[in-house]
Amino acid sequence: MLMERTKKRQYYESTERSCNQMISKLAVTLRNSVVKENDTEIIIKQLKDGSADKITSWVQLKILAIARPAVIIYSYTMLVIFLRIQLNLISGHMYKHAQNTNNGIIGTEVQKRYMALSKYFIDEGIKDLSEFIQNKVSEVTASLSLTEQLTLRDLEQIYWAITSSVSADSSKDPVKNFIYYTLQHDIENSDTSVYSKLRDQMLDVSESEEVQDLMQKNIRTGFVLLMDHISVYFSEPSKTNSVQNKASFSEESNAENSILTRKENISDFSGFVDLNKTTIALAKIIPIMNGQVPDNPISDDIAENWLQRLIFNNDLKTLGANLYEAVC
């Protein structure tokens, strides 16, 4: 009995390592998809060379820059939960089969097809998710002008308004419609194959209240982390100026920014900055938001930081462990 428990634990630990490796590997591809679907480079280039309507381009840039980190938070959470469910289910079945050959065989082709399920989300589902979040950002920020002075609290409220709007859309909310974004509808109801049964188990677990609660909880945590990343720009003026200089789109827009944007640092004689009173114009916040998920990953950016937190999240590990144990 002790030997069996030891073997089961070792098999699970191997699954855990494989899962973490797969998460890290697929997150690279997913990030590239997010950047592609929320591409700001073309708009920035057009603003620099003056080849596009400035007002229209700034509105588009505002939407994409704010949406980009939001899509990362949602999509990374979805990817990690998807893979925790996927790998622990099949690992549990394979361990069970190894102990009792009467439980049915999960052949190599079935394994390959089952493990390839995540490809749909990375290639196709992310397009729907990006478009959906962009639309929500557009709705929430429609009345905000580039000259609007925002505190960190104001920016936080904008993101909470976006997540509230996402949650209120019952037909497309990724928490309530997880499988819509992550699984291709390619199986007939009459299909009784081993692959279909594995996939159906994934569907059942993914639609459970427990998974929805976990996803919602982690998404909220992700946006708190995002605000932590952004708060430094409200407390250190030099960082804001540095980002603004790097993101200078044209001489005209820079001149306009110097006139129309104002950063107000409220501090006492000790140098303490009151983040609740420090304001930055939206025109300066846009490049800050865009820089949270740079085209080329940098150490400790929001995407990398969020991914590591998800990988080592105890609640998500427990979800996988419970699924593995239930199947075994």
Side-chain angles (χ1 to χ4, degrees):
M1 191 69 177
L2 177 60
M3 184 178 294
E4 182 181 343
R5 286 201 301 268
T6 301
K7 286 172 61 179
K8 185 186 289 187
R9 185 180 69 251
Q10 290 174 341
Y11 201 92
Y12 168 74
E13 290 172 350
S14 175
T15 299
E16 179 73 7
R17 289 191 296 271
S18 297
C19 188
N20 291 343
Q21 291 169 1
M22 183 170 288
I23 289 170
S24 297
K25 180 180 178 180
L26 292 183
V28 174
T29 308
L30 178 58
R31 180 190 176 120
N32 291 337
S33 295
V34 172
V35 169
K36 179 181 177 181
E37 296 304 320
N38 299 271
D39 184 25
T40 57
E41 186 176 356
I42 295 176
I43 298 175
I44 292 174
K45 183 178 179 181
Q46 290 173 340
L47 282 168
K48 284 181 176 179
D49 61 27
S51 62
D53 179 76
K54 188 167 63 174
I55 295 177
T56 301
S57 295
W58 270 100
V59 170
Q60 292 175 337
L61 185 60
K62 174 183 69 174
I63 293 169
L64 292 172
I66 294 175
R68 200 151 149 164
V71 176
I72 281 288
I73 290 169
Y74 274 97
S75 64
Y76 273 23
T77 305
M78 295 166 73
L79 177 69
V80 173
I81 289 177
F82 183 91
L83 292 176
R84 289 277 183 229
I85 295 172
Q86 183 186 38
L87 265 71
N88 281 285
L89 280 177
I90 194 170
S91 293
H93 280 293
M94 292 178 71
Y95 176 82
K96 187 176 181 180
H97 168 68
Q99 308 310 307
N100 182 359
T101 56
N102 293 326
N103 284 315
I105 299 174
I106 301 178
T108 303
E109 289 304 314
V110 172
Q111 292 179 41
K112 287 182 179 179
R113 188 180 177 192
Y114 176 76
M115 293 309 299
L117 284 172
S118 58
K119 189 176 187 302
Y120 176 79
F121 174 54
I122 294 172
D123 292 344
E124 301 298 331
I126 195 63
K127 296 178 182 178
D128 294 330
L129 180 65
S130 294
E131 182 181 4
F132 174 58
I133 292 179
Q134 286 170 21
N135 288 337
K136 294 304 179 183
V137 171
S138 179
E139 292 173 8
V140 171
T141 64
S143 62
L144 293 177
S145 70
L146 295 176
T147 59
E148 189 117 13
Q149 297 287 326
L150 302 175
T151 64
L152 181 64
R153 176 68 173 170
D154 293 331
L155 190 58
E156 183 180 37
Q157 289 303 312
I158 288 171
Y159 272 108
W160 291 138
I162 292 168
T163 58
S164 295
S165 182
V166 167
S167 298
D169 194 326
S170 59
S171 64
K172 291 188 176 181
D173 173 20
V175 173
K176 302 184 188 74
N177 301 275
F178 183 57
I179 60 174
Y180 168 78
Y181 294 98
T182 56
L183 288 176
Q184 186 174 8
H185 305 289
D186 61 349
I187 299 296
E188 298 291 335
N189 292 333
S190 58
D191 190 346
T192 58
S193 66
V194 174
Y195 166 75
S196 178
K197 290 178 180 178
L198 282 170
R199 190 176 181 278
D200 286 346
Q201 279 192 315
M202 274 204 71
L203 288 173
D204 291 340
V205 175
S206 299
E207 292 178 323
S208 68
E209 186 175 339
E210 178 187 3
V211 168
Q212 290 188 16
D213 289 345
L214 271 175
M215 197 180 307
Q216 193 68 65
K217 176 183 177 182
N218 278 281
I219 287 168
R220 285 196 296 267
T221 302
F223 281 102
V224 171
L225 178 64
L226 176 61
M227 289 301 106
D228 285 344
H229 272 247
I230 295 169
S231 65
V232 68
Y233 295 95
F234 285 81
S235 61
E236 299 180 26
S238 60
K239 282 189 173 290
T240 305
N241 295 331
S242 174
V243 171
Q244 187 64 29
N245 291 335
K246 289 179 181 178
S248 57
F249 303 139
S250 68
E251 291 183 5
E252 182 181 359
S253 63
N254 279 339
E256 186 176 76
N257 274 342
S258 65
I259 297 171
L260 298 180
T261 65
R262 172 175 56 90
K263 187 170 188 297
E264 182 181 334
N265 290 305
I266 308 299
S267 60
D268 58 25
F269 292 109
S270 67
F272 172 76
V273 177
D274 188 343
L275 294 181
N276 293 320
K277 294 181 179 178
T278 301
T279 63
I280 306 177
L282 180 58
K284 287 189 176 182
I285 290 175
I286 289 173
I288 292 173
M289 300 312 306
N290 191 51
Q292 296 306 301
V293 186
D295 289 351
N296 298 311
I298 59 175
S299 176
D300 206 34
D301 63 26
I302 184 65
E304 177 61 26
N305 201 329
W306 181 228
L307 181 65
Q308 292 305 310
R309 293 195 181 210
L310 287 169
I311 288 175
F312 295 105
N313 183 287
N314 286 328
D315 289 340
L316 298 182
K317 285 185 176 183
T318 300
L319 170 67
N322 288 343
L323 288 173
Y324 174 82
E325 187 67 30
V327 173
C328 288

